[in-house]
Amino acid sequence: MCDYSLQSILSRPAKVGEKLTTRNFGTGTRGFAAPETPNMAVCVLPGTELAFSSETTIPKVGLLGWKTVTLGHKTAIFRQIRKNEPRVHHDALEFPDGQTVLLTELSEGQEATVLQLPAQPKTAVEEEAQKRVVYTG
């Protein structure tokens, strides 16, 4: 399952080499979808490495309305943050400068390629880091 507000959307896991697009699913969040199945969320495991086709952007509201802010990076590692907080967004991207941005905050329509899935965990700490937040109801 992807982030909590995508739990009612059909989903599947991401694959290496796959091209994904950020999409607004109409549930109060953005996530990844594959171009051939735009209504199906593609779930990414924590630790997955992604390369965007252009520098990532986020929409921000300003004094004169909405503007787009460029983050200055084309690569990111997928993370889950605030795992102990229910009913909040957890899916995030960590950029090379250490900045972490929620996936739902990215501009819609950005294209990313799955470069590498996370390695199989070898320790309990690695296993916990890769564990996705579980929702029951």
Side-chain angles (χ1 to χ4, degrees):
M1 183 183 311
C2 297
D3 216 344
Y4 83 100
S5 57
L6 292 176
Q7 62 190 349
S8 63
I9 303 292
L10 288 176
S11 65
R12 65 168 179 78
K15 302 171 197 153
V16 172
E18 182 170 33
K19 298 211 182 298
L20 306 174
T21 304
T22 54
R23 182 183 186 307
N24 183 339
F25 286 93
T27 61
T29 193
R30 288 186 186 100
F32 287 120
E36 64 276 7
T37 54
N39 294 322
M40 180 181 291
V42 178
C43 301
V44 181
L45 288 172
T48 298
E49 296 177 26
L50 301 160
F52 287 84
S53 59
S54 59
E55 291 183 352
T56 50
T57 62
I58 55 175
K60 289 281 187 183
V61 70
L63 293 174
L64 302 174
W66 289 95
K67 65 179 182 172
T68 301
V69 175
T70 301
L71 298 177
H73 300 287
K74 292 175 75 173
T75 61
I77 298 175
F78 183 84
R79 304 284 188 213
Q80 278 206 315
I81 60 174
R82 306 183 301 186
K83 289 183 178 185
N84 296 326
E85 297 178 43
R87 296 176 300 281
V88 299
H89 292 288
H90 301 94
D91 291 353
L93 296 171
E94 181 183 335
F95 293 99
D97 63 359
Q99 179 181 13
T100 301
V101 175
L102 287 170
L103 178 57
T104 195
E105 293 178 357
L106 263 61
S107 299
E108 188 172 3
Q110 295 184 88
E111 297 175 347
T113 301
V114 177
L115 295 179
Q116 182 174 324
L117 297 174
Q120 291 298 316
K122 294 185 173 115
T123 67
V125 172
E126 288 176 352
E127 187 173 344
E128 184 62 29
Q130 288 184 17
K131 188 185 284 184
R132 291 194 59 93
V133 177
V134 178
Y135 302 96
T136 56

